[in-house]
Amino acid sequence: MSNVDEILTDIQRKIAPSDETLEAVRDRREEVLSMANRYRGALRTYSAGSIAHRTANDDTDADCGVVLDRRSYGELGPDGDGGPPNEIVEDVRSFIRDGLKDKHPNIAFRLTKRAIKIKYNEPLSDGSDPSVDLIVALTRAAGALWIPNLERKHWDASDPECHTRLLTAEPAGLRRMRAKVIRLAKAWNKQYSKPGLSSFNIEALALESINEETAVADGLAALFKHATSDLSKRQTP
């Protein structure tokens, strides 16, 4: 192992979330998804984000979603009568809160731009207290999903399920190596008071630039080289 590889391996150990945190956040995510799946018109649920992709450092809040059948909600979305997402998201929030508040009396809910943020307020022994971000999505006639933009009161096209499939696909060696590169790039990005990229952006650039298994240092160099060129020309599709 080269000196560079040793340094990067040491960094990976330092930025890794604890096993206790990972176990807790996955349990909380599954608890929320189990409740969301009981909501009227729910077709399925999905996991997304850094926990699902195994690219988490200290960003251990679990991203996930519940997919509603637009045929059950003809009044909503661009494929229906154009109704905004705000009311249905609030109703899902109330439904999940009613289902979880007896077991978790300190649980708290708030709406962000796109999701229901569920804070358990039950700190773990390591001091972490991971939350769950649930997106209420609609099936889309053209494929993929409509996801809420609560600030603008409309729906945006997105495909978080495909993004997760790409990042967790075989072969296993490439998947694991790319995840290590993403985690290191996220740690680099976070050192600045105003990070230049989102985690999602880093993952998308990694998918474009890392297509074969290499040493982690080489993969990280390939990601930076590609990002430097690509971001000078455009926003990442």
Side-chain angles (χ1 to χ4, degrees), residues 15-18 21-22 25 48-63 117 128-131 133 182-187 189-190 198-200 202-203:
I15 63 179
S18 71
T21 297
L22 290 174
V25 72
S50 59
I51 297 298
H53 304 160
R54 298 184 180 273
T55 59
N57 293 331
D58 60 354
D59 50 333
T60 53
D61 296 337
D63 296 313
K117 178 170 283 294
S128 65
D129 190 10
S131 60
D133 288 355
I182 290 170
R183 291 181 58 232
L184 288 165
K186 285 165 61 175
N189 185 56
K190 194 176 179 181
S198 69
S199 295
F200 184 92
I202 290 171
E203 289 185 339

Side-chain angles (χ1 to χ4, degrees), residues 25 28-29 31-33 35-37 39 45-46 61-68 85-100 107-120 130-137 147-151 155:
V25 72
R28 292 177 181 187
R29 179 188 64 193
E31 183 176 48
V32 169
L33 290 179
M35 185 61 60
N37 206 36
Y39 188 78
T45 59
Y46 65 87
D61 296 337
D63 296 313
C64 58
V66 56
V67 181
L68 304 181
N86 301 65
E87 185 175 336
I88 190 72
V89 173
E90 176 60 39
D91 196 54
V92 172
R93 173 169 72 162
S94 297
F95 178 83
I96 295 175
R97 181 178 57 212
D98 290 345
L100 296 180
I107 200 167
F109 295 74
R110 70 177 178 88
L111 300 183
T112 64
K113 178 181 178 180
R114 298 200 184 276
I116 304 167
K117 178 170 283 294
I118 303 166
K119 184 75 172 176
Y120 274 70
S131 60
V132 177
D133 288 355
L134 177 75
I135 285 180
V136 179
I147 65 171
N149 185 323
L150 299 175
E151 294 175 356
W155 301 85

Side-chain angles (χ1 to χ4, degrees), residues 121-173:
N121 292 309
E122 297 173 9
L124 306 175
S125 63
D126 63 4
S128 65
D129 190 10
S131 60
V132 177
D133 288 355
L134 177 75
I135 285 180
V136 179
L138 279 176
T139 52
R140 183 169 173 248
L145 300 174
W146 294 113
I147 65 171
N149 185 323
L150 299 175
E151 294 175 356
R152 299 182 63 184
K153 298 184 179 180
H154 77 96
W155 301 85
D156 294 329
S158 187
D159 202 348
E161 293 171 301
C162 180
H163 187 67
T164 296
R165 286 195 299 271
L166 290 171
L167 280 162
T168 58
E170 299 294 334

Side-chain angles (χ1 to χ4, degrees), residues 177-224:
M177 185 276 292
R178 187 168 51 211
K180 292 176 182 178
V181 170
I182 290 170
R183 291 181 58 232
L184 288 165
K186 285 165 61 175
W188 164 83
N189 185 56
K190 194 176 179 181
Q191 69 184 305
Y192 302 103
S193 57
K194 187 176 180 181
L197 299 171
S198 69
S199 295
F200 184 92
N201 201 170
I202 290 171
E203 289 185 339
L205 290 166
L207 279 170
E208 290 181 340
S209 59
I210 302 174
N211 299 305
E212 60 182 14
E213 187 176 355
T214 65
V216 171
D218 292 335
L220 189 60
L223 170 59
F224 283 147

